[in-house]
Amino acid sequence: MNSKLADYRRKKGLSQQQLADVSGVSIRTIQRIESGKVEAHPSTLKMLADALEVGTEKLTINKPLSESPEIKNGDKIKPGFHMLALIGLFFPVFNIILPGLLWFFKKDESQAYDLEGKSVINFQITMSLLFIPAVLLMIFVFYVGFPLVLIIYLYTFIMCIINIFRSINKKDSFYPLTYLFLK
């Protein structure tokens, strides 16, 4: 995180003191985060990102997420987000509710949980929003709507399976075609 926070702060033309004034985070905390002495708490990260007008994911460490010690510790629960979404695919709306509950209770414990939960929830909301018009189309024009429903459902199912195995193998999740509702 150290160089990314400093890079974005400099791009905005802010000193550490100015960033502290704008964000509400103490200058000492900003100095310690930029020097790499501490890892920012998710709420601190959010305050800094808001002040710099960037997404929190932009301020995360330069190393790939899987190399961070905080992320490594999160590997134990990360597959659970994807498994809950997969279970939820068989019960409408639970594909969002189940991983959403896990994210809600775990997001403050680790940046890994926060990012993984947001990724899964964003994907599931996106696919659910695509699924609704496809079902309506299936009702009125079956031969067009039915293949769309199958494609969306199978794509969602396959992406959940792929990301379960990616998280078990300590790789970053990958959900293409996702709108970022939670940032």
Side-chain angles (χ1 to χ4, degrees):
M1 163 108 87
N2 54 2
S3 64
K4 283 203 174 192
L5 176 59
D7 288 344
Y8 278 101
R9 178 180 56 77
R10 288 184 194 112
K11 282 180 187 174
K12 286 294 255 184
L14 297 173
S15 67
Q16 288 177 335
Q17 183 60 55
Q18 290 169 323
L19 179 58
D21 294 340
V22 172
S23 67
V25 175
S26 74
I27 188 169
R28 180 74 182 124
T29 301
I30 292 171
Q31 292 168 341
R32 295 173 80 201
I33 292 169
E34 285 188 3
S35 69
K37 291 180 181 172
V38 297
E39 190 69 35
H41 188 274
S43 60
T44 304
L45 187 66
K46 173 98 174 87
M47 291 167 60
L48 292 168
D50 289 347
L52 294 170
E53 298 174 334
V54 297
T56 54
E57 69 279 355
K58 299 270 188 187
L59 296 180
T60 55
I61 352 178
N62 281 332
K63 296 184 269 184
L65 285 177
S66 57
E67 292 179 18
S68 164
E70 183 181 68
I71 302 298
K72 285 281 188 205
N73 294 338
D75 288 345
K76 296 173 188 164
I77 293 182
K78 284 172 59 175
F81 288 104
H82 309 286
M83 289 178 199
L84 288 172
L86 185 64
I87 291 167
L89 284 177
F90 300 103
F91 305 100
V93 188
F94 279 94
N95 62 321
I96 299 167
I97 292 173
L98 294 176
L101 286 171
L102 181 60
W103 172 73
F104 181 77
F105 290 113
K106 293 292 186 177
K107 68 181 177 179
D108 293 330
E109 288 182 24
S110 164
Q111 183 182 358
Y113 301 154
D114 187 43
L115 294 173
E116 200 75 17
K118 285 178 184 176
S119 172
V120 172
I121 294 166
N122 286 332
F123 177 73
Q124 293 299 327
I125 291 172
T126 302
M127 292 301 110
S128 294
L129 289 176
L130 290 174
F131 196 72
I132 293 168
V135 168
L136 291 174
L137 191 59
M138 184 174 75
I139 293 169
F140 296 109
V141 187
F142 184 80
Y143 63 89
V144 175
F146 183 70
L148 278 175
V149 166
L150 280 178
I151 289 169
I152 293 168
Y153 188 82
L154 288 174
Y155 175 72
T156 306
F157 181 80
I158 290 168
M159 289 309 298
C160 285
I161 297 291
I162 288 170
N163 282 296
I164 286 170
F165 286 106
R166 286 183 65 85
S167 62
I168 288 170
N169 293 321
K170 297 175 180 22
K171 293 184 180 176
D172 295 333
S173 322
F174 179 66
Y175 283 112
L177 306 175
T178 301
Y179 183 79
L180 299 178
F181 295 96
L182 302 173
K183 296 183 181 184

